[in-house]
Every structure is written in structure tokens, then in C-alpha cells.
Amino acid sequence: MSGNSIRPQQPRGSRLILLFSDNLSNIYSIYDYNGIYIMIYDPMTPVRSCSGKYSGGVPFMKEISEEEYQEIKNEFDNLARRKENHTFDRTRPTGLFTSRNDKFIVRHGFYGKFEDLLKNHHEIDSSDDELAAAELV
């Protein structure tokens, strides 16, 4: 979706399995679509931001491998277990983590590895990934 600001939508028939909202409310979602893992990035936009100026970048939807998903899921599970880093207050800077079985908030500074795993996907490898993911909608 390079150069396109249209927000990607959940593929029909898919199931949300992980969601992460960073300290600036940029949202990463991972869906299971018949064994295919789809990542959607829904960035904050100036229209939705409290400053009226912040943009989290360009939205995208792309397929990720099972290995990439497992790496992200393992780090998610590690964060869920480290309850000493959780908070009940969703103020900035915190990260909101959601799965089918879990919902928790982590203080900023304790989820960098998880965030890095997600941000690795900002660079879309080829337009084929984009087109394949777009066909699922």
C-alpha cells in the first residue's frame, strides 16, 4: 500500500490473534487467515492525534511467515509473564497488548524487543506481498 493512505481492513474470514497499540496509539494487528498470518499496521494520523500533527507513517498489510509469527508470539508471552512490568493505567508512555486470552499494559522501556520485531515489517519486501495480502480483503 505504498503511497496509499487507505487503512487496511481485516481480511474476511480471518481471526484476530494479537494486537499491540504502542505509546503513540499506532496499532499492529496479526490475523490468522486459514493458517496464513497477516500483519496490519494502522498508524496514528494527524486527524486522530491529540496534537493534530503526529503521523505514525504509512499503513500496510502484509503476510508474515509462521516463524516470524512464532517469534512475535513468544515475546508476547514473555511480556505477559513479566507482571512486574505491567500497569493498570493506559497513560503514555505505555503499550497495550491484547490476544484472545490476555490483555495487559506494559510500562514503556520494557517492550522494546517486541516493538522491534513488529517494526522489522515496516519495510515491505516486494509489491507481491502487498498484492497477495490485498487479495484477502
Side-chain angles (χ1 to χ4, degrees):
M1 315 214 164
S2 301
N4 190 343
S5 62
I6 296 174
R7 293 170 64 187
Q9 300 296 311
Q10 174 180 351
R12 286 188 201 114
S14 67
R15 180 175 58 94
L16 178 66
I17 49 179
L18 284 180
L19 183 138
F20 168 66
S21 178
D22 70 13
N23 64 313
L24 297 170
S25 296
N26 298 301
I27 300 170
Y28 293 85
S29 307
I30 299 178
Y31 296 87
D32 180 357
Y33 180 75
N34 298 324
I36 298 170
Y37 296 101
I38 305 295
M39 177 185 287
I40 294 179
Y41 175 63
D42 184 11
M44 176 58 68
T45 63
V47 171
R48 293 176 14 214
S49 78
C50 59
S51 71
K53 297 177 183 178
Y54 174 73
S55 171
V58 178
F60 68 81
M61 175 179 4
K62 73 176 281 190
E63 183 177 338
I64 61 173
S65 70
E66 182 163 354
E67 293 78 20
E68 291 169 317
Y69 167 70
Q70 286 303 325
E71 188 175 18
I72 292 167
K73 174 75 167 89
N74 289 341
E75 187 57 24
F76 180 98
D77 292 342
N78 288 336
L79 290 167
R81 282 190 294 275
R82 293 189 206 121
K83 300 207 184 294
E84 67 275 9
N85 299 327
H86 294 187
T87 182
F88 294 102
D89 189 15
R90 177 64 170 132
T91 57
R92 287 194 322 182
T94 58
L96 174 65
F97 296 79
T98 307
S99 72
R100 288 180 46 162
N101 303 319
D102 235 335
K103 183 175 183 178
F104 55 94
I105 300 167
V106 176
R107 292 189 307 269
H108 189 68
F110 295 98
Y111 58 85
K113 181 178 178 184
F114 182 85
E115 199 167 31
D116 289 345
L117 289 171
L118 296 175
K119 286 183 177 181
N120 285 338
H121 295 283
H122 274 239
E123 295 298 319
I124 297 178
D125 300 328
S126 72
S127 59
D128 292 341
D129 287 343
E130 282 184 42
L131 293 173
E135 290 173 2
L136 298 174
V137 177

